[in-house]
Amino acid sequence: MAALHSTRAHPAAVHGLTVAQFLLLVWHQGNKRLVPEPSRHIPAEQLHHSTQRPPLPNMPASNIQTRYMNMLLALDDIPPIFNMAASFFTWILLAGFVLFPGTFTSLQQQQLSGVEAQVLEVVSNISLYIVAWVCTGIGGVGMIWLWWRWQRNYIWIVNRIFVPGLLNSLAGVISVLSNIYGVQHGTYSTTSESAIIVTVAVAVVCGCLILLYQFWLLRNIKKEHDREVGVERAGKHGEGILGNERK
């Protein structure tokens, strides 16, 4: 009876534990909660990755750099001296084309006989003929040099070299043909034939280069730009808007 009374008074004894063992177990569990867990060693690489800033969200379209955008921005960085040089070389090319008709022999001069007729059949003013060729040569060489110098910027070479070269050479073709059929009455001389060959050749070369750069190379770069940024429009007053905007 005494043992039964002892078990009822101390429930821990039912499970085979004495009071001292029960109190010791409670004290041990309480200290276990208070003692912090030992810090584990974190590798340096894992710590570096864990302290890195989270990746930024997608950048807006206005901050995306494309080849087409880089070419446009580079236009402002090209020194103005090259813009003036391009204007000078294309202008002096036109000056040479305009001077060519002044060297043609006229129909009345071709009616002369002897040595004078043979000289005038070739050229009427040798000094002017030389000046015309020098101007044409300087313009052509200068345009080729600028083409090589800024060959990576398709926009600049098309707008500054090829288009002015095409327009000036077409003006030279018109000037030569108008002199041949207006003053020479359709009679071709040696100088007129050389002049028409040069002007037409320059016009054809510039025209082919415009087709290559403007309608092939630049178009492909513009398509890449439109895929990454979006189709851009000039807008009503040239302010520039995206294709899906309405104003």
Side-chain angles (χ1 to χ4, degrees):
M1 295 297 293
L4 179 61
H5 176 73
S6 176
T7 305
R8 290 178 179 176
H10 302 283
V14 177
H15 301 281
L17 297 176
T18 64
V19 175
Q21 291 177 341
F22 177 76
L23 293 177
L24 181 63
L25 178 63
V26 172
W27 179 83
H28 179 71
Q29 293 294 333
N31 289 341
K32 188 176 181 181
R33 293 191 186 98
L34 295 177
V35 176
E37 294 183 359
S39 59
R40 60 178 181 176
H41 177 69
I42 302 177
E45 296 181 356
Q46 184 177 354
L47 180 62
H48 174 71
H49 288 294
S50 62
T51 56
Q52 280 185 338
R53 181 180 296 179
L56 295 175
N58 292 333
M59 298 290 289
S62 58
N63 294 334
I64 298 177
Q65 295 292 326
T66 62
R67 294 177 59 191
Y68 184 75
M69 189 178 298
N70 291 336
M71 289 184 185
L72 290 175
L73 295 175
L75 294 177
D76 296 332
D77 195 49
I78 295 177
I81 187 65
F82 289 99
N83 297 332
M84 293 186 290
S87 300
F88 170 76
F89 288 132
T90 54
W91 170 82
I92 201 169
L93 179 74
L94 176 62
F97 292 161
V98 171
L99 290 176
F100 273 124
T103 65
F104 299 165
T105 58
S106 64
L107 184 62
Q108 291 80 7
Q109 290 172 331
Q110 288 182 356
Q111 294 176 353
L112 298 176
S113 59
V115 178
E116 294 179 353
Q118 295 178 358
V119 173
L120 291 174
E121 187 178 359
V122 178
V123 65
S124 61
N125 192 332
I126 189 66
S127 60
L128 187 61
Y129 185 71
I130 294 175
V131 171
W133 273 108
V134 169
C135 291
T136 304
I138 292 175
V141 172
M143 291 168 63
I144 293 174
W145 174 68
L146 289 176
W147 177 19
W148 172 82
R149 178 62 179 81
W150 301 106
Q151 57 183 307
R152 296 296 183 180
N153 196 311
Y154 303 153
I155 301 174
W156 191 89
I157 59 178
V158 168
N159 295 335
R160 292 287 182 173
I161 299 177
F162 299 151
V163 171
L166 175 62
L167 297 177
N168 291 346
S169 57
L170 289 177
V173 172
I174 294 173
S175 177
V176 171
L177 292 177
S178 62
N179 186 277
I180 291 174
Y181 290 98
V183 179
Q184 308 297 330
H185 303 285
T187 302
Y188 283 83
S189 62
T190 305
T191 53
S192 62
E193 291 177 355
S194 62
I196 196 68
I197 291 173
V198 172
T199 53
V200 170
V202 174
V204 170
V205 170
C206 290
C208 292
L209 291 174
I210 290 175
L211 293 176
L212 174 62
Y213 279 86
Q214 184 69 41
F215 298 101
W216 177 254
L217 298 177
L218 265 178
R219 175 174 291 183
N220 293 336
I221 294 177
K222 186 64 166 61
K223 288 181 180 179
E224 295 177 2
H225 175 80
D226 293 340
R227 285 195 299 266
E228 297 183 17
V229 178
V231 179
E232 297 179 344
R233 306 297 182 188
K236 185 177 180 180
H237 301 288
E239 66 275 12
I241 60 175
L242 289 176
N244 54 358
E245 295 181 7
R246 294 290 183 268
K247 287 191 176 182

